[in-house]
Structures are given as C-alpha cells and as structure tokens.
Amino acid sequence: MTTNRGAVAAVVAVRGSVVDVRFAARLPPIRTLLRAGPDGRIAMEVLAQLDGQHVRCIALTSTQGLARGMAVQDTGAPLQAPVGASILSRMFDVFGNPIDQLPVPRNVQWRSVHRTPPPLARRSTQSVVFETGIKAIDVLLPLETGGKAGLFGGAGVGKTVLLTELIHNMVGHHQGVSLFCGIGERCREAQELYQDMREAGVLPDMVMVFGQMNEPPGARFRAGHAALTMAEYFRDDEHRDVLLLIDNIFRFIQAGSEVSGLMGQMPSRLGYQPTMGTELSGLEERIANTDTGAITSIQAVYVPADDFTDPAAVHTFSHLSASIVLSRKRASEGLYPAVDPLQSNSKMATPGIVGTHHYQLAQDIRRTLAQYAELKDIIAMLGLEQLSPADRNVVARARRLERFLTQPFFTTEQFTGIKGKTVSLADSLDGCECILRDEFKDYPESALYLIGPIAEAKGKPAPAAPAPPEVAHAAKSHAS
C-alpha cells in the first residue's frame, strides 16, 4: 500500500463502497472514473460533488486495501466499453475485461457507456413485426422490431432455453448480432449459458456481458449500460440488427436501489430509489429502431412476491411492447415453450399492424383456449362425457391447438433427440386455421405435438378417435 498525502487527489473517507475524495484543484465531472490502489485496480465513479474540494464516489470494485490518504488518479473520462468486430464470441465484465480466459481482443475502440438515446428524428415511425420462427410467439404475441418484450418466468420453466433459441434464430435467419447482458447473474448460470451457447453453435455472432451477483452494486448497475454501448456500435456503425437479451432487468433496478441507499438518498415508495424512473428510462430509451438498424430487446423480469403493482414491475411495464408469461403448469405438462397465451399480451397484435386475418385468427385461438380453461373444472368433476357436443368440440380444438403451439428447439436437440424447427408465420397461421376448422379432428393429439408446420402431422401415426381418452379416464378417476 502506498500513500501520498501531497497528491492532487486523495481519499479522505471510506465507508464500504462509498468513497470520498478530496481534490486540491478542479473537481472532476459527475460520472468520471477514478482509480486508486496498486496499478489502479480500485475503480470508483463520481456520483456527487459535495463542495468545492470533495466528491463522493461509488466503488465499482472491492474497496479492500483502500485507506485514507491514498492517492487517487483522475482518468479524465467516464467508464468505457470496448466496441468493434473483434468483441464477437467473447465474454466481458463491466470494465470490458475478457472473463472467458482468452486473450484480450485487438483492434477495439473504447466508448463511454453513458450515451444519449437516439433523437426522435432518427427513429423509425413504422411498426414492423419481428418474426422469431417460434409459433406461439409469432401467432399470439408478435414482437416488434426495435421493441422491448418482457419475459416473465421462474426457475425451471424454460426461460433460458427460450432465450437461447431466440439467439439461434436471430443469428441463423436474420444475419444479426446477439448480445446477452447478465445483471446480477449467478456465476454458475453464466458458465452454463456460455457452454450452452458454444455447443449450440451461436457463439461466433454474439457478445456476452456480465455484472455478476458477487460484484459490488456499482458494477451491476453499469453492466446494462456497457452492453447497450456495444449493441449501439453494431446498430449505428455496422448497420446490423441486434437482439439484446437482458437477464434480469429487475436486478438493474435493485442495484440502483443499493447505490441510492449507499449514497444516503431518501428512499421512495417501498424503499426504492427516488430516481428509479429516470434511471430505467435512460437505459430503456436507448433500445430503439433507427434509420441504420434496430435493437430488439427481450428482457427477463422478476416480479417481487408476484405483486404486479410493485414499483419495479410497474415502471418496467411502461416500456414494454409485449409481455410473455411462462407458466409452470404448462411446463409440467410438457408444453414447451410454456407460454401462457391468456396471461400474455402484445401491443403489436392489432389489425392495423398484423392484418385483419391474423388478428381475427389470434382472437379465435384465445377464445377457444379461454373456453377450454373454463370447462376444465367441469371435466375434473363430471368427466368429458357430461359436456355437450359443442363443448367437446371446443375441448378437442383447444387441446390440439396447445400441442400444435409446442415446437422442437435447435438448442435442445442434444437432450430430446428431435431436430429443431423454425416455422414461418404463414405456416403457423395456416396450421392454427386448419385446427379451428376441425380438419385434424380425426388425428390424435400426439400427431400435433412437437412438430413444425402442420403438414408434418400427416406423416405421423394413423388417425384415431377425436375424443381425448386420457382426459376422460383422468376425470373419472378424479370424480370417483
């Protein structure tokens, strides 16, 4: 440890991650990065100017070894992130240091992580559907190119698998770049995701940025800004479409709350920081569709205690164009992806954007599934035979629709042994329309399970009785 009390800048107080620094001359601007300690390994960001000589900083690294009187170096610039073609297939921390045990990438530029959102004059005014190749999403919950979709799901319902598949489809069929940002991720999850991406063959066209759970709140808070700076490079400089996946946007808000508390700010509702709306907007508004390309974002959203009135959830909802809810019940039934169509919604599902035919078909599907949900209690108590013929037809259609909306994924081929499929929007709509017209009522439900286009069902086992016998048997057992 070296100290230099005669330095231009020196540490005067250390309280956990909060560090006060005294400057003899000019104060550095807010968001300037300061460094201290041997080799400048302790990084701090200026968050407040206390008076004419003192600034208050939040540490982005551990403050172990930092002491009063220690010299502080003013870098003269904010936190920066590396950009360039050579960052593809790599994994970085919030400082742009590679954490994949590979050499430091060459030929990179360094840009500030604090950038303003694109002006309205550069933004695209057209709403264009972002086709994913996943039937359940394209038909019922169309995503917006340059939009933001929230993915709500707990552990074990297929959230990471769905994110991985979206990356695969984006790279393979849209010639775009995928960028994964892990905020508050566990080290185990980051390692598993990296291995999964490499084995799935999608790593060459993606970048991964992590602010892990064991890092200080300042580092977790800036991980999203660093990832967005990289995404903006591919959109604005290379004119490529970018798929940005953030897991978990709630951890960004949580890290901001920790930073706010450490800085001594008065907490707002339920203990959140008073600046939460501004901080979230500053991040979300940079995700946009411009005249050079689009950043389309899929964000995992954790809802505290399943309370959708929580300020974190409410502020996040206001930025999303689609909400995809993954159901644990559907996952337990083997219906993957486990998207719950009755709880999910999309602002793109309007006649003016997707067309009248697509809109009416999606409404018919939702109506059929909603009627089936209402009939489940009657089936459980009295059995399928007690339903009217019309209701039995509704149940048959709904169960076939549920199975047709499942899909084999490329990223799960090694586990299921079933080759992955992408399905065009036209094929997805055609399949749902055929089921609603009862064209497949003589085919067993299993013929529609985990297939691509509807035509594949005709190559499965011979037609069987339309009534689902396993439902009737289960209902009788339950009633008895």
Side-chain angles (χ1 to χ4, degrees):
M1 182 186 302
T2 60
T3 60
N4 186 358
R5 297 183 183 275
V8 175
V11 175
V12 294
V14 182
R15 292 181 297 275
S17 292
V18 179
V19 182
D20 289 352
V21 180
R22 183 181 187 278
F23 283 81
R26 179 187 62 86
L27 289 182
I30 301 296
R31 294 178 173 174
T32 300
L33 188 68
L34 309 180
R35 289 193 175 273
D39 303 323
R41 66 187 179 196
I42 299 175
M44 303 168 287
E45 186 179 62
V46 178
L47 287 191
Q49 296 176 339
L50 301 179
D51 53 36
Q53 289 187 312
H54 295 85
V55 296
R56 181 159 291 170
C57 311
I58 190 76
L60 306 184
T61 58
S62 171
T63 55
Q64 185 175 2
L66 194 64
R68 287 191 299 169
M70 188 174 287
V72 176
Q73 176 192 358
D74 179 0
T75 64
L79 180 67
Q80 295 183 322
V83 298
S86 58
I87 69 172
L88 288 170
S89 78
R90 302 301 302 274
M91 185 161 60
F92 299 95
D93 64 10
V94 71
F95 299 103
N97 301 318
I99 54 175
D100 50 10
Q101 300 180 347
L102 294 175
V104 176
R106 298 181 178 181
N107 302 322
V108 298
Q109 304 174 33
W110 291 85
R111 294 184 181 176
S112 168
V113 303
H114 305 288
R115 301 169 65 86
T116 56
L120 289 176
R122 282 194 54 208
R123 294 182 183 239
S124 173
T125 56
Q126 294 183 339
S127 294
V128 180
V129 173
F130 175 78
E131 195 169 323
T132 64
I134 299 173
K135 292 181 285 189
I137 294 177
D138 288 344
V139 173
L140 298 170
L141 310 163
L143 305 186
E144 179 183 7
T145 299
K148 297 173 275 286
L151 186 61
F152 302 83
V157 296
K159 179 177 61 179
T160 301
V161 173
L162 187 54
L163 291 178
T164 310
E165 187 72 7
L166 286 166
I167 293 174
H168 180 279
N169 292 355
M170 176 69 176
V171 173
H173 303 281
H174 294 263
Q175 284 73 50
V177 175
S178 296
L179 207 148
F180 186 92
C181 175
I183 304 175
E185 282 283 283
R186 298 170 184 84
C187 300
R188 170 185 59 79
E189 292 175 339
Q191 174 66 16
E192 289 175 357
L193 185 66
Y194 181 78
Q195 296 292 345
D196 291 343
M197 297 297 170
R198 186 165 61 181
E199 292 170 5
V202 301
L203 203 55
D205 281 293
M206 73 172 299
V207 186
M208 304 175 78
V209 180
F210 285 99
Q212 295 176 359
M213 186 176 283
N214 62 321
E215 296 184 37
R220 286 182 271 125
F221 187 57
R222 293 302 181 205
H225 298 92
L228 259 173
T229 300
M230 298 177 184
E232 287 166 341
Y233 164 81
F234 290 108
R235 179 191 67 188
D236 299 335
D237 292 42
E238 296 201 0
H239 299 180
R240 300 176 69 178
D241 288 344
V242 182
L243 178 64
L244 173 65
L245 300 115
I246 302 177
D247 188 9
N248 187 306
I249 198 66
F250 173 78
R251 304 295 177 198
F252 166 78
I253 296 173
Q254 190 178 47
S257 179
E258 292 179 46
V259 170
S260 177
L262 289 168
M263 294 295 292
Q265 294 180 354
M266 182 71 71
S268 183
R269 184 171 168 234
L270 295 186
Y272 286 104
Q273 65 271 38
T275 54
M276 176 173 62
T278 304
E279 292 167 357
L280 186 62
S281 298
L283 185 76
E284 296 280 8
E285 288 303 303
R286 291 169 63 179
I287 304 171
N289 182 9
T290 69
D291 50 4
T292 58
I295 299 177
T296 303
S297 176
I298 314 288
Q299 306 173 11
V301 185
Y302 168 70
V303 181
D306 293 331
D307 178 14
F308 284 86
T309 64
D310 187 271
V314 170
H315 280 78
T316 305
F317 280 137
S318 64
H319 294 281
L320 300 178
S321 56
S323 300
I324 304 171
V325 178
L326 297 183
S327 163
R328 187 172 301 280
K329 185 174 184 300
R330 294 177 70 84
S332 66
E333 295 172 0
L335 300 174
Y336 288 106
V339 176
D340 188 333
L342 300 180
Q343 292 190 56
S344 308
N345 64 79
S346 170
K347 294 178 182 176
M348 298 290 285
T350 62
I353 297 176
V354 299
T356 305
H357 176 255
H358 182 170
Y359 174 76
Q360 291 295 344
L361 188 60
Q363 291 298 98
D364 290 343
I365 294 170
R366 287 179 182 274
R367 190 179 303 112
T368 302
L369 294 175
Q371 289 173 339
Y372 177 41
E374 292 175 357
L375 293 170
K376 281 183 178 178
D377 287 341
I378 299 175
I379 296 172
M381 290 186 291
L382 304 176
L384 192 66
E385 294 85 354
Q386 301 302 316
L387 296 180
S388 66
D391 285 345
R392 281 204 294 270
N393 286 336
V394 168
V395 171
R397 288 189 209 109
R399 289 179 62 83
R400 281 164 175 76
L401 281 171
E402 284 183 337
R403 278 143 188 79
F404 176 66
L405 291 176
T406 62
Q407 188 168 336
F409 282 172
F410 290 94
T411 50
T412 58
E413 284 182 8
Q414 55 192 347
F415 306 110
T416 63
I418 304 173
K419 185 172 177 57
K421 307 268 175 58
T422 57
V423 185
S424 68
L425 177 59
D427 286 341
S428 300
L429 293 174
D430 180 60
C432 293
E433 196 169 16
C434 289
I435 295 172
L436 288 173
R437 289 199 305 255
D438 289 335
E439 293 183 16
F440 284 81
K441 67 177 181 179
D442 294 330
Y443 283 76
E445 295 172 1
S446 58
L448 299 169
Y449 181 64
L450 288 181
I451 63 172
I454 194 72
E456 294 182 15
K458 297 175 181 176
K460 284 207 168 187
E470 68 273 19
V471 176
H473 177 72
K476 287 181 179 178
S477 300
H478 188 275
S480 61

